[in-house]
Amino acid sequence: MKVGVVTFPGSNCDADARYAAQLAGGTVVSLWHKDTSIPADLDLVILPGGFSYGDYLRTGAIARFSPIMAEVVNFAAAGGLVIGICNGFQILCEAGLLPGALTRNHNLQFICKDVLLRTENTSTPFTSSIQPGTTLRIPIAHGEGCYVASPEVIQELEDSNRVVFRYVGDNPNGSMNAIAGIVNASGNVLGMMPHPERAAESILGSSDGMSIFSSIALHLGDTLCSA
Amino acid sequence: MKHFTAHVTVTLRRAILDVQGKTVEHALHSLHMPGLQHVRIGKHVEMSVQAADADHARELVERACQQLLANPVMEDVAITITEGFEGDHV
């Protein structure tokens, strides 16, 4: 798989995302927020975590107007895989690629700790190698991870099985329905607050995050084999 | 073209719990001011606007709110437009 990782001013998980994608066998290219094109042969674009534009105004609100984002929107519309992690999830919501929004954690604190996630949908390209119901231990690190949306949107997400990850036990940030990650209607854009790239090797405390990267590699491999 | 000043107040929608407001409300109660309730905390954006008239000025600011200043999923805006500049800007 060929992976592009976008760096915005204030991104700080871009190097980790590149590393994890490489561990999963990916060839990685760095993309810059001012880029006005992305390589035609990319399989996956990652919007990494961080504090793009200092979180000014709202998290992700300014980054969505970066030149690269118009390309990411086109890439997603053409069926390309996109993952937004943490700040990347916030940017995807602001850009309208995913519904809802992320607001202040209910306890008003920045929370940095491992959480348990239940994989609710294992038929996405991002979770295809995960056994149904598997619990993953992956860290979160955010101040604004409380997922909110209108009751209609929440219902639609639940009915269409688009809640991919849900916090198990403790809901750390007060997200509606304990939502930790969702996909778009076409299933090719994933947004999640937890950081799979920070759980990429056992030396980091958990390698559960790798199951997401390896799912994507498997999904792309399957596509190639069946083509 | 005339000059106007726009004041935009952005607050969380009523349906969304304003945890900052709640926390400040509790602090006010602990300061023995139980009569102060339903505290809501938002953002204030002020800017000068050049437009033909007040209606056009409002239209421009409404567009700015829709596209950037607020996120309609979770925020409401209140806009006031006054004629002329207010104060000196550095």
Side-chain angles (χ1 to χ4, degrees):
Chain A
M1 62 175 173
K2 191 159 178 189
V3 184
V5 178
V6 180
T7 300
F8 297 96
S11 295
N12 65 7
C13 301
D14 42 342
D16 288 350
R18 288 195 293 268
Y19 181 76
Q22 278 166 349
L23 275 185
T27 308
V28 178
V29 292
S30 295
L31 304 174
W32 182 236
H33 67 111
K34 285 189 171 171
D35 288 353
T36 52
S37 67
I38 54 180
D41 58 346
L42 279 193
D43 299 305
L44 168 70
V45 168
I46 301 178
L47 305 185
F51 301 85
S52 58
Y53 295 90
D55 283 349
Y56 289 175
L57 199 58
R58 292 180 308 281
T59 56
I62 313 284
R64 69 157 287 207
F65 293 107
S66 295
I68 190 78
M69 282 308 294
E71 295 307 306
V72 173
V73 169
N74 291 338
F75 179 76
L81 300 180
V82 178
I83 306 185
I85 300 166
C86 198
N87 188 221
F89 186 11
Q90 295 161 340
I91 295 168
L92 289 175
C93 287
E94 283 285 340
L97 284 172
L98 290 173
L102 294 139
T103 186
R104 291 287 292 273
N105 294 344
H106 266 200
N107 65 2
L108 291 174
Q109 290 174 358
F110 188 97
I111 308 168
C112 186
K113 65 173 187 182
D114 283 0
V115 295
L116 296 178
L117 300 176
R118 190 168 57 239
T119 314
E120 302 280 31
N121 181 344
T122 55
S123 59
T124 77
F126 313 99
T127 52
S128 54
S129 73
I130 302 174
Q131 290 300 308
T134 300
T135 301
L136 305 175
R137 191 156 64 85
I138 295 182
I140 55 168
H142 60 246
E144 280 147 317
C146 174
Y147 182 78
V148 295
S150 69
E152 297 78 30
V153 168
I154 296 287
Q155 194 60 48
E156 190 194 331
L157 289 173
E158 295 288 359
D159 290 347
S160 52
N161 208 17
R162 284 166 55 194
V163 176
V164 178
F165 298 111
R166 208 185 299 272
Y167 300 109
V168 179
D170 177 40
N171 177 353
N173 49 32
S175 288
M176 287 179 168
N177 290 24
I179 289 171
I182 57 169
V183 283
N184 65 343
S186 319
N188 63 315
V189 177
L190 168 73
M192 61 187 297
M193 287 312 296
H195 286 270
E197 81 285 4
R198 293 193 189 180
E201 308 179 279
S202 51
I203 196 171
L204 297 172
S206 169
S207 59
D208 289 356
M210 272 315 285
S211 58
I212 293 167
F213 295 98
S214 46
S215 287
I216 298 163
L218 182 76
H219 167 82
L220 293 166
D222 282 353
T223 306
L224 288 175
C225 291
S226 61
Chain B
M1 287 295 218
K2 286 182 179 170
H3 293 285
F4 299 89
T5 300
H7 292 277
V8 180
T9 304
V10 182
T11 45
L12 279 175
R13 299 185 77 158
R14 296 264 166 204
I16 294 172
L17 178 66
D18 179 356
V19 278
Q20 267 194 97
K22 238 345 154 210
T23 306
V24 169
E25 187 177 318
H26 289 156
L28 291 168
H29 293 174
S30 66
L31 290 170
H32 309 294
M33 289 180 256
L36 301 181
Q37 291 172 3
H38 306 115
V39 177
R40 298 190 64 77
I41 295 186
K43 275 179 278 205
H44 183 83
V45 184
E46 182 189 314
M47 67 191 104
S48 71
V49 187
Q50 280 186 45
D53 54 46
D55 285 348
H56 283 92
R58 177 173 290 275
E59 207 174 291
L60 193 58
V61 175
E62 278 172 358
R63 244 172 62 208
C65 288
Q66 282 158 12
Q67 291 179 22
L68 179 64
L69 299 181
N71 181 338
V73 173
M74 57 176 177
E75 292 170 329
D76 286 325
V77 293
I79 301 168
T80 57
I81 305 279
T82 54
E83 211 169 321
F85 282 133
E86 286 179 10
D88 294 320
H89 296 276
V90 182

